[in-house]
Amino acid sequence: MERRHTNAYINALEARVASLEKQLAQRNGDPGTPDSTKGSSNCDHEEVAFVSSTQASQPDPNSTTSEEDMDDLANALGCFTLGEIGELRYFGASSNFSIIHNHAIKVPSSIQARNRGIEAANNMPDFITPSDEMRDHLLEIFWRWQNSWQYIVPRELFVRDLYVEKNGRYCTPSLMAAILAMSSRYSPRLELRTDPDDANTAGEAFAAQAKTMLHYECEAPTTSTVQATALLGLYWATIDNEGLGFMYIGMATRMAMNLGLHCDCSPYASKGLVSDDDVEARNVTFWGVYVLDKYVDRRALACF
């Protein structure tokens, strides 16, 4: 039986055709637009990367760039849309979905992916749950010695979610495991090592748990997935497994781009579609991963 395309896919194709017809009519000098373009909606330029509403509303008087040209630039860059559960998704110019403004697109559920990862980690034979005292000890180390100079995790949002809200939005099990794995490298406690005589095994159990959970979360990543992947890449690099570390940091960078963390989503916050906390978490994560990726690139080039 032939598989039928989804309505979202068909609507995206229709929007692409309408956009092309509009461009063709304008090129032919037709002041009107085809009927098929009525009702279609392109992305606003204020919702696209690096193009702010202030810049768009106050153009340079010496510039010949029209608002229509700005819209064409916006369409070339891509835009955000809202997924079926309210998550921000980014579609580039090569995707027809970038044309449909705020259309509900069926995307994999990040909650289901996270739950599958947690279940898989819990079934690991060496799964460990740290005590509250051990967790807080490692978190204090992380804030003081790691996140203070490689700023990837917004501390206030993470701590508030961990101790107050407890909704798993900014403090997820995979991110916690990655943080504990990295922090264990700074701690002298022997119980954090799988081999008490080998300091290089500190945090190994936490890293294995984070790796298992991220295997599933990568199917539907979130901002915390990007943070956890980057930190796990740092962990691998600290135990002389730089190849694996580079790979994980590269994965974090590409997930960040896939989520549109490089784009300015503040217009969505002003409309109440996303919270200011989400905007901050996205900004902190992107720039943290960006700096880390550049650092890794320089080290990789130094090897040649």
Side-chain angles (χ1 to χ4, degrees):
M1 182 177 179
E2 185 177 357
R3 181 181 177 183
R4 180 183 180 275
H5 291 296
T6 63
N7 291 335
Y9 180 80
I10 296 174
N11 291 337
L13 289 179
E14 291 177 346
R16 175 67 72 180
V17 171
S19 176
L20 293 175
E21 288 178 345
K22 179 181 178 181
Q23 295 178 36
L24 181 60
Q26 292 171 347
R27 182 175 292 273
N28 292 335
D30 184 359
T33 56
D35 293 339
S36 59
T37 62
K38 295 179 180 179
S40 64
S41 176
N42 291 342
C43 293
D44 296 330
H45 54 266
E46 66 176 1
E47 295 171 345
V48 183
F50 313 122
V51 182
S52 68
S53 58
T54 302
Q55 293 171 329
S57 60
Q58 298 178 355
D60 186 350
N62 297 324
S63 174
T64 59
T65 302
S66 65
E67 184 175 351
E68 193 168 347
D69 293 334
M70 190 67 75
D71 286 336
D72 291 339
L73 175 61
N75 290 334
L77 292 173
C79 70
F80 287 111
T81 189
L82 290 176
E84 61 179 355
I85 58 175
E87 294 177 323
L88 278 183
R89 295 291 170 176
Y90 179 75
F91 296 96
S94 61
S95 172
N96 292 329
F97 290 127
S98 65
I99 300 179
I100 306 180
H101 184 57
N102 283 352
H103 185 82
I105 306 297
K106 290 198 67 174
V107 294
S109 170
S110 58
I111 297 178
Q112 293 179 6
R114 181 186 304 171
N115 289 338
R116 289 195 298 270
I118 294 173
E119 181 180 0
N122 288 335
N123 291 330
M124 296 174 62
D126 55 349
F127 179 84
I128 59 173
T129 301
S131 64
D132 291 347
E133 186 276 331
M134 177 65 74
R135 178 199 63 197
D136 292 343
H137 162 71
L138 293 176
L139 284 176
E140 180 60 30
I141 290 177
F142 178 75
W143 304 128
R144 180 184 296 271
W145 299 110
Q146 181 62 42
N147 204 60
S148 57
W149 70 281
Q150 281 182 331
Y151 190 37
I152 296 177
V153 182
R155 178 176 182 174
E156 181 180 352
L157 300 181
F158 182 93
V159 171
R160 188 177 67 202
D161 191 10
L162 173 62
Y163 296 108
V164 181
E165 297 175 352
K166 301 180 180 180
N167 57 21
R169 188 168 186 84
Y170 305 108
C171 173
T172 63
S174 61
L175 178 56
M176 176 66 78
I179 289 176
L180 298 183
M182 193 66 202
S183 302
S184 297
R185 304 289 300 161
Y186 295 91
S187 177
R189 297 193 180 186
L190 298 181
E191 59 267 32
L192 294 172
R193 308 176 184 179
T194 54
D195 181 357
D197 297 325
D198 186 0
N200 217 35
T201 62
E204 193 174 80
F206 294 126
Q209 293 172 196
K211 181 180 179 181
T212 298
M213 286 185 275
L214 289 175
H215 174 75
Y216 293 88
E217 284 192 31
C218 286
E219 298 177 5
T222 62
T223 303
S224 62
T225 309
V226 178
Q227 297 167 354
T229 305
L231 290 174
L232 197 57
L234 278 173
Y235 168 82
W236 297 126
T238 64
I239 60 173
D240 297 329
N241 195 344
E242 290 192 342
L244 188 58
F246 292 167
M247 185 186 75
Y248 268 77
I249 293 171
M251 289 168 56
T253 303
R254 277 132 191 92
M255 280 192 288
M257 300 295 289
N258 183 56
L259 292 173
L261 300 190
H262 60 295
C263 298
D264 178 18
C265 64
S266 56
Y268 277 81
S270 64
K271 296 176 182 178
L273 297 176
V274 295
S275 66
D276 292 335
D277 289 342
D278 283 342
V279 175
E280 179 185 359
R282 291 170 64 89
N283 290 339
V284 169
T285 303
F286 171 72
W287 287 113
V289 172
Y290 174 84
V291 172
L292 181 59
D293 186 64
K294 294 302 179 184
Y295 171 73
V296 168
D297 283 345
R298 287 199 301 270
R299 291 198 61 184
L301 290 174
C303 296
F304 293 97

